[in-house]
Amino acid sequence: MINKYIVVCPNCGTKLITVCSNAASDTYCPQCYQQLPSELYTKERNNDEALEIIANNESLSEGFAETVVNQMANDDEAPHNAGSQLARAISCNDVNDALLALTGWSVDSLLDMVPPVVMDCPDGFVNFTGMTGMIPEYASAIVEVFENYLDSLNVRIPCESPDEEKERGYGDNDAALYGSEYWEIVDNIEAWLNQNEDEACNLSDYFIETINEFLDNKGFGKYKPDTEQCGKIKEKVDAILKA
């Protein structure tokens, strides 16, 4: 999986979104109701990333809210103690301590309690609806396919900016794409995915058009992929978007 928050249930093959990182948690697949093996739990979770994913996904948001409400109902802390702790946390703008006061659990622990949700994947492709925070990671992986293609031809696209080309030389950077040239393609892919969140299956065609136009504009049109090479590039892009 390219994204650590997407897993596949080994029991039924359903693609799931999860922010759980604790192997001790009892996390079940919402499709087949079988417990997920610990190796599928998110490794090295970044709480800011996880919260962003929750905020942009209706089902995860609902699960997170229910988790917080349920833990508040089950917390046996004396009201005056909880209120005192909550007041101090609010005065310090400390969200973690505020949740501790309300539920008895930290942000880390509450995230581990959020149940996974089924990811809607038409034809097996990732659906970015409500998951746009994942797009930059996928876009970078897709542009790497183009970089690998250029590497196979020993082609290195020079930077239009003299400063970037100079910086590239100082770092002895042999990457096929560098600086603005790299980010131009990444930005194009991100923009397309943001506008076509549920149509990732069509990205590979757009990607071929994008790199062909890019090579023409840079004076490297003779290196545009032929029909066979286009097919291989599209296969690799599709594989990333199904991961």
Side-chain angles (χ1 to χ4, degrees):
M1 284 292 164
I2 182 176
N3 195 289
K4 58 190 174 186
Y5 301 103
I6 301 175
V7 301
V8 174
C9 174
N11 302 300
C12 66
T14 300
K15 195 169 287 186
L16 307 170
I17 308 169
T18 180
V19 295
C20 181
S21 67
N22 189 348
S25 300
D26 290 329
T27 305
Y28 291 82
C29 172
Q31 192 74 13
C32 67
Y33 305 106
Q34 298 295 310
Q35 187 168 1
L36 296 174
S38 60
E39 60 266 21
L40 288 186
Y41 295 147
T42 304
K43 306 297 189 295
E44 300 179 0
R45 179 186 63 209
N46 179 294
N47 285 355
D48 289 336
E49 288 178 350
L51 290 167
E52 178 72 15
I53 288 170
I54 289 173
N56 288 304
N57 184 280
E58 185 175 326
S59 297
L60 282 174
S61 295
E62 182 178 339
F64 183 56
E66 289 178 350
T67 296
V68 172
V69 170
N70 289 339
Q71 295 309 314
M72 286 174 63
N74 293 330
D75 188 33
D76 57 4
E77 183 69 54
H80 69 279
N81 287 336
S84 177
Q85 293 166 14
L86 179 60
R88 289 193 179 93
I90 292 173
S91 70
C92 296
N93 295 317
D94 192 323
V95 175
N96 192 69
D97 280 356
L99 286 171
L100 271 169
L102 289 169
T103 68
W105 298 96
S106 66
V107 173
D108 267 326
S109 297
L110 289 169
L111 287 175
D112 284 337
M113 298 177 195
V114 178
V117 298
V118 174
M119 187 176 203
D120 181 19
C121 301
D123 300 320
F125 286 86
V126 173
N127 185 344
F128 292 100
T129 303
M131 301 294 294
T132 54
M134 295 182 176
I135 286 176
E137 187 173 355
Y138 278 88
S140 296
I142 289 165
V143 173
E144 188 176 338
V145 173
F146 181 41
E147 289 186 296
N148 291 338
Y149 165 73
L150 293 175
D151 283 339
S152 71
L153 302 176
N154 293 317
V155 171
R156 186 172 175 267
I157 305 297
C159 297
E160 185 173 333
S161 164
D163 289 341
E164 287 187 344
E165 189 63 30
K166 186 177 181 180
E167 180 183 88
R168 185 188 208 173
Y170 284 147
D172 197 23
N173 192 305
D174 291 328
L177 299 169
Y178 185 83
S180 299
E181 279 63 32
Y182 171 81
W183 290 111
E184 175 185 338
I185 304 178
V186 170
D187 290 346
N188 278 338
I189 300 307
E190 286 188 21
W192 191 94
L193 286 172
N194 275 298
Q195 292 171 7
N196 303 273
E197 297 172 352
D198 60 348
E199 299 178 16
C201 59
N202 297 318
L203 175 64
S204 59
D205 289 328
Y206 174 76
F207 186 58
I208 293 297
E209 294 174 10
T210 298
I211 62 177
N212 281 341
E213 182 179 348
F214 174 84
L215 289 169
D216 279 336
N217 291 340
K218 296 298 179 182
F220 283 74
K222 67 180 181 179
Y223 294 108
K224 290 191 294 188
D226 59 27
T227 302
E228 182 180 354
Q229 291 167 327
C230 282
K232 292 179 179 178
I233 290 172
K234 290 172 69 173
E235 283 179 8
K236 291 176 181 177
V237 171
D238 286 347
I240 290 170
L241 291 167
K242 287 185 176 181

